[in-house]
Amino acid sequence: MPRLVEGALAFHGEAQGATAIELLASYFAGMDQGDYVSLLAYVARNPVHEARLAAMRCRLRQATGVATMGGFGPRYLHSIGQLHKGGPAGGRFLFITADAGEELQAPGHALGFAAMQRAQALGDMEELASRGRPCLRVHIAGPVEAGLSRLAALLDRALVSMVVS
């Protein structure tokens, strides 16, 4: 069950807040030098989505002073996934998932590609959480571009509220 739903965005994880802005601010507050944030997007990899995630990473880096990284799942598991699971503590992980536009069947398998991607995202988040890594998942219902735009706006407001507080 989601911790909070605001419009097309459903937030899952241990972060606290009565609004999405409060929840995001609490999740990213209190980071120390040496910590890092990783945005893990289980959405289609295309130039629009890449640009949106890069902008969010840049804003997070500016506001918190910590390193950021990101990738598209499950592809990122081959490059930075091992760091997340076996590297030093200090990472905060923001998973971004979305409704599948169309389920593509995987020949010879009961589940399609979207279901497998969803399972991969949930399994990766569960594995990180079992290692004590803070995880937050934002699920987008409806058009991904609109959801990413809304998430970016909420994140920006959350980061501004952290600086003001």
Side-chain angles (χ1 to χ4, degrees):
M1 294 299 298
R3 177 162 302 282
L4 175 72
V5 176
E6 272 194 27
L9 303 179
F11 296 83
H12 303 260
E14 297 303 316
Q16 299 291 324
T19 68
I21 293 168
E22 290 174 6
L23 187 143
L24 289 165
S26 74
Y27 186 68
F28 291 112
M31 297 189 73
D32 296 320
Q33 187 174 5
D35 289 348
Y36 67 95
V37 172
S38 192
L39 300 182
L40 308 171
Y42 284 80
V43 299
R45 184 177 182 192
N46 63 44
V48 172
H49 298 167
E50 287 178 350
R52 180 65 70 191
L53 292 172
M56 284 192 278
R57 287 181 52 213
C58 184
R59 185 67 183 100
L60 277 161
R61 184 177 60 248
Q62 290 170 342
T64 64
V66 302
T68 65
M69 60 183 73
F72 288 83
R75 181 181 184 160
Y76 75 85
L77 292 169
H78 300 290
S79 55
I80 57 176
Q82 297 309 309
L83 168 68
H84 299 337
K85 293 175 188 160
R92 302 228 180 146
F93 305 93
L94 179 63
F95 287 81
I96 302 169
T97 58
D99 292 341
E102 176 184 345
E103 178 65 88
L104 298 174
Q105 294 306 310
H109 298 278
L111 297 176
F113 286 108
M116 286 190 276
Q117 184 180 42
R118 210 169 27 257
Q120 181 69 58
L122 295 175
D124 196 34
M125 185 173 166
E126 185 177 293
E127 177 62 25
L128 287 169
S130 76
R131 294 171 184 262
R133 310 291 200 237
C135 296
L136 177 64
R137 180 170 68 95
V138 180
H139 184 81
I140 300 168
V144 176
E145 290 81 11
L148 287 175
S149 180
R150 181 68 180 140
L151 176 59
L154 290 169
L155 179 62
D156 191 55
R157 291 178 60 196
L159 295 171
V160 166
S161 77
M162 287 170 43
V163 173
V164 173
S165 299

